């Protein structure tokens, strides 16, 4: 048994931090003490003093954030793709060049650095949308899960909870084979992928703690997975794992889908029985009103990646309409132009404001919900949901008196705080980061600088 004493924490009277429908207005409580057993909160009290042996968390304590969409190797491209104009498709060619350089050894080193940056920034969990499976040219590694296990080891090293989304990627576009640059992403067919996925699940279960590393599934997109393969996945994918897909990120994707199948990507998923509460639709930027209704009626999660969508000039997705229709909203950092849960929160709201001409499209509590338990259905590992008995003890403490947060109401930190204000991060009851550095691995800037030396 161990304990954390928080100088202050943003809580509901019953300990709920989520700001969910029906919850009371969150307020700051002073002197919050958490008892921890086997990585979960086993006791909770407010207005108390620290006890001997407690670890002290100064500032305002929140549940840690959940990153619902990541491509770790895209971090290579930060700050290196901005000469001249271009669009998503030009950026994609640059991304393929980076993917071609990956090896299991290089990727483990890079991913450990990227995951460390996430941890130091306040994330305790990540869904890694992973499709770089094989050697360049498409030949499997001698260890068939070499790339996947490298990512799992990187997560364990950094302490982050990893949902490893093994991705089905069969086509370079609708009716188009994989290009040479994409060959290492592919499998022979959906059946071969399902077999490899089952083998990966067994290997991960044997090798890693289930609360730290779990396996989910992903379909790259309707561009990358033909309809016949969608039918196979719908019929045979195990029901106990999350399923993700890039959906309607680009107008060109929608147009190609309409021309090939006569329906939008969301409607294609519905036609093949893939819209459900376990689906996470990533981006969902260019939707029709009927698409929004389909996703909402299914209770699907929509993962918005606001800083990436802005960086790539993708557009502003209909987040408010999706939420109103019944979809849970989650947040991800995708290509890691920024790794900062607080910036993702307010960029989501700022996009809504720019598109609508109205303020307050999402309340601060709704934004925090999107950064935490909105990702619940997206993950195969636990989510930090609240300061309450039984919850995983994943915490981030935020300085209330930085140059950015001074004077801010803590429940409105989504509009002032940044990752630079995160002073401490606890995962599974262990202090893993403090004052911008990982307790075991050091500063993420140094780790990333060293890892990037392996890439051109």
């Amino acid at each position: 048994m161990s304990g954390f004493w928080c100088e202050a924490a943003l809580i509901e009277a019953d300990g709920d931090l989520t700001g969910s429908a029906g919850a009371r207005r969150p307020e700051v409580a002073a002197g919050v003490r958490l008892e921890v057993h086997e990585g979960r909160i086993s006791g909770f009290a407010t207005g108390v003093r620290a006890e001997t042996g407690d670890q002290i968390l100064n500032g305002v304590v929140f549940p840690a954030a959940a990153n619902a969409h990541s491509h770790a190797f895209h971090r290579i491209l930060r700050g290196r793709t901005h000469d001249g104009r271009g669009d998503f498709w030009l950026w994609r060619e640059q991304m393929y060049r980076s993917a071609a350089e990956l090896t299991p050894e290089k990727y483990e080193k890079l991913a450990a650095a990227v995951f460390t940056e996430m941890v130091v920034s306040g994330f305790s969990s990540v869904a890694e949308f992973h499709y770089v499976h094989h050697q360049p040219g498409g030949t499997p590694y001698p260890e068939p899960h070499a790339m996947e296990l490298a990512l799992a080891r990187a997560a364990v090293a950094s302490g982050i909870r990893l949902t490893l989304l093994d991705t089905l990627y069969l086509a370079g576009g609708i009716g188009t084979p994989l290009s040479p640059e994409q060959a290492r992403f592919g499998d022979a067919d959906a059946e071969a992928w399902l077999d490899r996925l089952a083998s990966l699940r067994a290997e991960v279960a044997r090798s890693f703690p289930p609360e730290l590393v779990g396996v989910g599934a992903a379909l790259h997109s309707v561009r990358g997975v033909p309809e016949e393969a969608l039918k196979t996945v719908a019929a045979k994918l195990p029901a106990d794992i999350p399923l993700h897909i890039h959906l309607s990120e680009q107008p060109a994707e929608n147009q190609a889908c309409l021309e090939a199948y006569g329906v939008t990507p969301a409607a294609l998923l519905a036609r093949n029985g893939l819209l459900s509460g376990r689906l996470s639709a990533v981006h969902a930027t260019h939707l029709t009103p009927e698409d929004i209704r389909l996703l909402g009626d299914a209770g699907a999660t929509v993962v918005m990646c606001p800083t990436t969508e802005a960086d790539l000039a993708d557009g502003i997705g209909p987040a408010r309409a999706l939420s109103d229709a019944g979809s849970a909203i989650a947040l991800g950092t995708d290509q890691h132009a920024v790794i900062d849960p607080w910036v993702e929160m307010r960029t989501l709201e700022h996009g809504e404001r720019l598109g609508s001409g109205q303020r307050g499209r999402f309340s601060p509590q709704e934004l925090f919900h999107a950064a935490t338990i909105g990702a619940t259905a997206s993950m195969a590992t636990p989510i930090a949901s609240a300061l309450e008995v039984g919850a995983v003890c994943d915490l981030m403490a935020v300085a209330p008196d930085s140059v950015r947060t001074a004077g801010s109401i803590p429940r409105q930190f989504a509009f002032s705080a940044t990752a630079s204000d995160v002073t401490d991060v606890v995962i599974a009851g262990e202090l893993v980061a403090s004052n911008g550095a990982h307790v075991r691995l050091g500063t993420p800037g140094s780790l990333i600088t060293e890892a990037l030396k392996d890439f051109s």
Side-chain angles (χ1 to χ4, degrees):
M1 185 80 69
S2 60
F4 288 92
W5 184 82
C6 311
E7 180 183 23
L10 195 66
I11 65 169
E12 296 289 341
D14 62 358
D16 178 22
L17 265 179
T18 65
S20 56
R24 286 171 287 177
R25 185 181 176 92
E27 298 292 349
V28 174
V32 176
R33 186 172 186 274
L34 306 174
E35 292 182 351
V36 182
H37 180 65
E38 295 183 347
R40 291 181 176 266
I41 298 171
S42 58
F44 174 90
T46 62
V48 299
R49 295 182 178 181
E51 297 184 9
T52 302
D54 284 351
Q55 293 190 68
I56 308 300
L57 300 178
N58 294 313
V60 182
V61 173
F62 299 80
N67 188 345
H69 188 66
S70 163
H71 299 290
F73 79 90
H74 289 190
R75 177 60 179 81
I76 298 168
L77 299 174
R78 183 189 292 179
R80 301 174 70 175
T81 64
H82 303 281
D83 288 336
R85 296 195 178 186
D87 57 13
F88 167 84
W89 306 102
L90 180 60
W91 172 88
R92 189 178 71 157
E93 296 305 315
Q94 297 170 305
M95 179 268 289
Y96 286 161
R97 289 196 290 273
S98 294
E101 297 187 64
L102 294 171
T103 66
E105 296 74 21
K106 288 182 180 181
Y107 207 3
E108 183 173 347
K109 183 177 177 181
L110 175 65
V114 175
F115 292 155
T116 298
E117 183 180 1
M118 291 182 197
V119 167
V120 168
S121 300
F123 290 105
S124 67
S125 58
V126 60
E128 180 66 24
F129 198 111
H130 168 67
Y131 51 80
V132 188
H133 303 303
H134 310 301
Q135 299 181 66
T139 303
Y141 285 97
E143 160 51 70
H145 306 303
M147 294 294 272
E148 291 74 29
L149 296 177
L151 287 167
R153 290 191 298 268
V156 171
S158 72
I160 202 166
R161 301 182 192 272
L162 172 68
T163 295
L164 181 56
L165 298 167
D166 196 83
T167 301
L168 176 61
Y169 201 149
L170 299 177
I174 297 175
T176 303
L178 293 171
S179 68
E181 295 84 2
Q182 297 167 319
R184 67 186 311 191
F185 308 161
D187 290 283
D189 53 32
E191 294 280 2
W193 171 73
L194 286 164
D195 289 343
R196 192 171 56 74
L197 176 66
S199 173
L200 176 63
R201 293 185 74 192
E203 181 63 31
V204 167
R206 283 192 297 268
S207 304
F208 301 96
E211 290 209 340
L212 189 59
V213 182
V215 175
L219 311 172
H220 180 268
S221 60
V222 300
R223 292 184 290 106
V225 182
E227 185 170 17
E228 286 304 309
L230 296 179
K231 293 176 182 177
T232 300
V233 171
K236 297 185 177 182
L237 184 70
D240 62 340
I241 59 175
L243 176 65
H244 291 226
I245 186 170
H246 295 122
L247 187 76
S248 293
E249 183 176 4
Q250 293 292 322
E253 173 189 333
N254 290 354
Q255 186 60 39
C257 189
L258 285 164
E259 291 174 359
Y261 301 121
V263 292
T264 64
L268 185 66
L269 297 183
R271 186 162 84 189
N272 289 281
L274 288 166
L275 283 189
S276 71
R278 65 110 165 236
L279 182 76
S280 291
V282 182
H283 302 303
T285 306
H286 303 282
L287 302 179
T288 67
E290 177 63 11
D291 292 338
I292 293 170
R293 185 193 67 78
L294 286 170
L295 290 163
D297 286 352
T301 298
V302 174
V303 183
M304 299 289 190
C305 305
T307 61
T308 287
E309 288 146 8
D311 182 78
L312 298 181
D314 284 348
I316 299 170
R320 181 72 264 170
L322 284 159
S323 179
D324 291 344
S327 289
I329 304 298
L331 293 172
T333 62
D334 194 358
Q335 61 139 339
H336 315 307
V338 177
I339 294 180
D340 188 325
W342 299 100
V343 170
E344 297 295 343
M345 288 183 235
R346 66 174 161 272
T347 305
L348 178 69
E349 168 65 10
H350 286 169
E352 281 284 325
R353 292 183 183 189
L354 290 168
S356 69
Q358 297 176 332
R359 301 179 85 226
R361 300 280 288 176
F362 286 95
S363 70
Q365 291 72 43
E366 288 176 304
L367 294 174
F368 192 77
H369 186 286
T372 52
I373 65 172
T376 297
S378 300
M379 299 292 192
T381 58
I383 293 296
S385 57
L387 300 188
E388 62 185 8
V389 172
V392 293
C393 187
D394 292 3
L395 315 169
M396 64 171 159
V398 180
D401 55 357
S402 77
V403 69
R404 291 163 294 276
T405 60
S408 299
I409 299 169
R411 65 174 178 269
Q412 296 185 22
F413 274 1
F415 293 95
S416 59
T418 72
S420 296
D421 303 313
V422 174
T423 56
D424 293 297
V425 179
V426 172
I427 302 177
E430 177 189 354
L431 182 69
V432 293
S434 187
N435 296 316
H438 195 280
V439 170
R440 297 189 303 273
L441 302 182
T443 60
S446 297
L447 294 172
I448 291 168
T449 298
E450 185 62 28
L452 291 177
K453 291 178 181 178
D454 294 335
F455 299 92
S456 59

